Amino acid sequence: MIVMAHGLAGVKEQRLDAFAERFQAAGYACLVFDYRHFGASSGEPRQLLDIKRQLEDWTAAVAYARTLDDVDADRVVVWGSSFGGGHAIITAARDCRIAAAIVQCPFTNGVASTLAIPPVTSVKLTLWALRDQLGALTGAAPVRVAAYGPPGSTALMSSPDAEPGVRAMTPDDVGVAKEVASRFALQIVRHFPGRHARRVSCPILFVICETDAVAPAGPTRRYAAQAPRGEVKLTTAGHFEIYVGEHFEQTVTDQLAFLAHHVPVTS
C-alpha cells in the first residue's frame, strides 16, 4: 500500500492520480488523500494550511491504510511531493513500521526556500501573514494570499515556472482554489523536515530536481546523504516539470524500480 499526498495547496487531481495509476498497474494499492481544509476533505476555514495538522493527517492516513483488507500493515509506503515530500520524511522518521518512502522535489529547508522568494515579496507575505494571524485570534475570516503567481506577484511561489507549471498539471475540469490563508507564511521559515532524514530507518528515495527554484536542491542533497538507507535520483526537471511529459515518465519509472527492489509486489 502506497499512501500519497501533494504539496503546498495541491490536491490529488493535480497529477497524483497519474502516479497512482502507474503504481496500481504495477500491482500496488494506493491511498491518495487531500489534507483537511483542501480539496475533497472537510475542514473550515477552507484553504487553511497548517503544518501540524497536515502531519496529523499523514499519521491518520497511514493508520487507516493499515486497517484495510488485504493490506500488510508492515508494508506501507509513504509518497510525498513538494511540501508533502517534507511531510513524508517526517512521517517515515516517526513511524518505524513504514516499509519505504519516496519524496520528489521535497521541501526540506525553510530558510533555503524563503531565500528563493524575492525579498520584497517576502516582506509583503510577512505583513499579510501577521495580519491574518492577528485576525485569527479574534475570529476574523482568513486573509488569503495566492499560492502561486507570475514573477513579481505577491504569492508563495512566484518563480518563472510556477504559474505555467501548476496550470500544466491541473485538468481543465478540476476547480482548484488558488489561494491559502496567509498565516502559513510565518511557518515556512521555521520548518526543516530535511533534518529528520537521519532518523528514517527505512529505504527512502529522494527525487531531486537540480534546477528547482522552489525547494532548492543543495540542502536536499545534503539531507539525503544523512539518511541511513537513502537513495538519490537527480533530474534536470524544474519543480513543476516532474509531473508531466518525459520527466514524469522517467521519474515514475525510477520510482517503480525503487519499489520493486525494496517492497516488491507479493501474491
Side-chain angles (χ1 to χ4, degrees):
M1 167 66 75
I2 305 174
V3 178
M4 307 173 64
H6 222 311
L8 193 155
V11 294
K12 57 185 181 297
E13 291 85 1
Q14 292 177 298
R15 296 290 293 173
L16 292 203
D17 49 357
F19 281 93
E21 287 169 2
R22 294 291 288 273
F23 296 148
Q24 185 179 34
Y28 296 93
C30 296
L31 173 64
V32 189
F33 71 95
D34 288 332
Y35 301 108
R36 70 183 84 176
H37 306 290
F38 289 89
S41 290
S42 60
E44 295 292 340
R46 302 305 294 168
Q47 304 304 113
L48 174 63
L49 202 167
D50 182 274
I51 293 171
K52 180 181 178 181
R53 294 181 184 185
Q54 291 196 345
L55 287 170
E56 290 172 351
D57 293 344
W58 271 96
T59 300
V62 170
Y64 174 70
R66 287 176 171 147
T67 69
L68 297 176
D69 293 339
D70 300 324
V71 170
D72 185 335
D74 292 314
R75 286 172 52 85
V76 172
V77 177
V78 290
W79 184 104
S81 191
S82 190
F83 207 73
H87 291 339
I89 294 172
I90 295 174
T91 301
R94 291 176 174 177
D95 187 343
C96 63
R97 294 179 70 192
I98 295 296
I102 297 174
V103 296
Q104 64 175 34
C105 53
F107 174 101
T108 58
N109 186 296
V111 170
S113 289
T114 298
L115 292 176
I117 301 172
V120 173
T121 302
S122 288
V123 171
K124 291 180 180 178
L125 289 172
T126 301
L127 293 175
W128 285 29
L130 289 170
R131 178 185 166 197
D132 185 36
Q133 189 67 65
L134 290 172
L137 298 176
T138 62
V143 177
R144 291 177 175 158
V145 65
Y148 62 91
S153 63
T154 303
L156 294 172
M157 298 180 290
S158 59
S159 58
D161 61 339
E163 189 169 47
V166 173
R167 287 179 176 172
M169 58 194 266
T170 305
D172 293 336
D173 60 345
V174 174
V176 178
K178 180 180 178 180
E179 298 179 328
V180 299
S182 56
R183 70 193 73 167
F184 169 68
L186 298 176
Q187 299 184 30
I188 296 176
V189 71
R190 297 179 286 115
H191 191 45
F192 296 87
R195 293 176 178 175
H196 295 259
R198 62 169 63 95
R199 296 192 293 108
V200 177
S201 59
C202 67
I204 178 170
L205 175 64
F206 292 80
V207 181
I208 303 174
C209 300
E210 294 183 283
T211 59
D212 201 318
V214 174
T220 300
R221 294 184 70 168
R222 291 191 289 273
Y223 290 130
Q226 298 171 12
R229 302 176 69 185
E231 299 179 21
V232 172
K233 282 291 183 180
L234 299 177
T235 173
T236 58
H239 188 81
F240 301 94
E241 293 177 307
I242 200 168
Y243 299 95
V244 296
E246 62 181 281
H247 292 298
F248 163 77
E249 292 295 337
Q250 183 60 59
T251 296
V252 76
T253 297
D254 291 339
Q255 294 177 10
L256 284 167
F258 171 83
L259 290 168
H261 179 67
H262 293 291
V263 194
V265 174
T266 63
S267 58

